[in-house]
Amino acid sequence: MEREVREAKRKAAAYNAAGLDEAFAEQSFRVKQKQAAYNAFCKQTGRTKRLDRTQVYGYNKSISGKVTATNRKREKNVFDAKNGSYQKNVSSSGLPKVKKLPNENLKQTANVNLPNMHAVAPKGADLSSVVVIAGAGTSTPIKDIQRLVSKYPSFGDANGWQKKSGVTVTDNFRYEMRWYENAGGVPAGEVKVKGVKRV
Amino acid sequence: MKVRYKGPSFGIDGLTDGSVYEVLEVDELTGAFRLIDDSGEDYLYSPTEPGPVCDPSIKGKFEVIEDDEQGTLDKAINK
């Protein structure tokens, strides 16, 4: 456990030095988790905490303070699914407002059945310009997270939901899609067409 | 311009049975309604068979509540 705390701290210090804010924010949470597990273990077993064994060269007071502050901001921004409250401290959460992702594939077949066009974007079709516009990995909370969690409990927990945007091209048209996604996939009823343009 | 959606509610922030929605325009290219749905954002929906694009089994209907002088919504729905 002491080794795990040291490893988490080492990575946090490295991300901080490299200026990787997003990775640092994630790692800060891991440092906290490892420290909490160590503290709980010592308390449970009556052992004395040997903090000298969890020290890491380069992980100074400045970084430690930054880790604590980042975790505090993160906690404020985490939706509490039980009481349904949001802590909208979004601008200073340490996470980006929008997160760009590499191209991916459509998780559901989309039937775009509109008066002037009938197109099918099959499951697996290429999606480009994919971004997370709200939810996990961003500082923007999902407005209806409570409904997502209660309607699709098998798709994952509140912290895993993302609202995504992406573009797929079929039949000379460019479709901008928006959808909700979690580890369990994309619910069929949660895909929408934001806009259509001619390619 | 406003319409009422009648049919099965879908999505966590899609369309809800009996709710009234503001239509911003009838999209020239697609002929679809660009309306502000339960998410508070504008999306494209079929005027004749509104429903989620990935679940064709769910289809509802729109009823015109408020139209413009040209009857744009009515024409789109009854096309």
Side-chain angles (χ1 to χ4, degrees):
Chain A
M1 287 183 122
E2 290 157 347
R3 195 177 298 133
E4 287 175 356
V5 173
R6 289 200 302 273
E7 189 193 357
K9 284 182 174 179
R10 249 192 307 272
K11 282 185 180 172
Y15 291 142
N16 182 56
L20 301 171
D21 294 341
E22 198 182 329
F24 178 77
E26 289 295 324
Q27 193 59 33
S28 296
F29 185 59
R30 284 197 196 101
V31 170
K32 190 190 165 194
Q33 280 181 319
K34 298 295 178 192
Q35 286 175 327
Y38 180 58
N39 292 342
F41 175 76
C42 290
K43 194 175 177 183
Q44 198 178 358
T45 56
R47 290 169 195 265
T48 307
K49 281 193 279 184
R50 294 287 302 271
L51 296 180
D52 55 314
R53 289 181 178 171
T54 64
Q55 284 179 342
V56 169
Y57 179 76
Y59 189 90
N60 53 28
K61 277 186 179 176
S62 165
I63 298 172
S64 172
K66 202 171 167 186
V67 164
T68 305
T70 305
N71 280 323
R72 204 170 286 151
K73 285 170 192 166
R74 183 190 178 104
E75 281 165 15
K76 280 182 184 173
N77 195 33
V78 168
F79 167 72
D80 185 345
K82 283 181 183 172
N83 64 25
S85 67
Y86 256 133
Q87 302 296 323
K88 292 185 176 178
N89 187 10
V90 293
S91 60
S92 57
S93 63
L95 293 169
K97 197 173 176 187
V98 171
K99 188 180 176 184
K100 288 183 184 174
L101 297 177
N103 291 359
E104 52 185 68
N105 302 108
L106 206 59
K107 310 268 188 322
Q108 295 275 358
T109 297
N111 294 284
V112 185
N113 192 16
L114 300 173
N116 302 342
M117 73 175 51
H118 303 277
V120 176
K123 186 178 178 180
D126 287 339
L127 275 168
S128 59
S129 306
V130 181
V131 290
V132 182
I133 53 179
T138 72
S139 63
T140 312
I142 295 174
K143 284 185 210 164
D144 290 309
I145 188 75
Q146 207 175 1
R147 291 180 69 190
L148 271 174
V149 172
S150 56
K151 193 168 181 181
Y152 307 108
S154 62
F155 281 75
D157 65 13
N159 295 321
W161 281 105
Q162 293 181 315
K163 185 176 185 179
K164 289 171 141 185
S165 172
V167 171
T168 187
V169 178
T170 60
D171 301 333
N172 301 322
F173 291 102
R174 180 183 182 276
Y175 302 87
E176 186 186 343
M177 317 291 279
R178 298 239 170 130
W179 67 94
Y180 289 105
E181 187 173 334
N182 204 333
V186 179
E190 303 300 343
V191 184
K192 297 187 203 178
V193 181
K194 180 68 177 168
V196 182
K197 283 181 182 173
R198 212 178 286 276
V199 177
Chain B
M1 296 191 288
K2 289 178 181 172
V3 289
R4 176 176 282 116
Y5 172 73
K6 283 186 168 180
S9 303
F10 60 87
I12 58 143
D13 53 11
L15 300 177
T16 307
D17 184 31
S19 293
V20 175
Y21 298 97
E22 187 185 351
V23 181
L24 302 180
E25 61 168 356
V26 176
D27 187 66
E28 208 173 310
L29 179 66
T30 61
F33 283 171
R34 177 171 294 285
L35 64 80
I36 297 173
D37 66 11
D38 292 337
S39 67
E41 297 170 21
D42 60 291
Y43 288 96
L44 296 179
Y45 287 96
S46 167
T48 50
E49 293 179 332
V53 289
C54 291
D55 191 350
S57 66
I58 299 175
K59 284 172 188 169
K61 284 192 171 183
F62 283 128
E63 180 186 285
V64 179
I65 299 295
E66 187 186 301
D67 210 344
D68 61 7
E69 288 173 358
Q70 291 78 39
T72 307
L73 299 185
D74 195 48
K75 281 179 196 166
I77 289 173
N78 298 308
K79 204 173 180 179

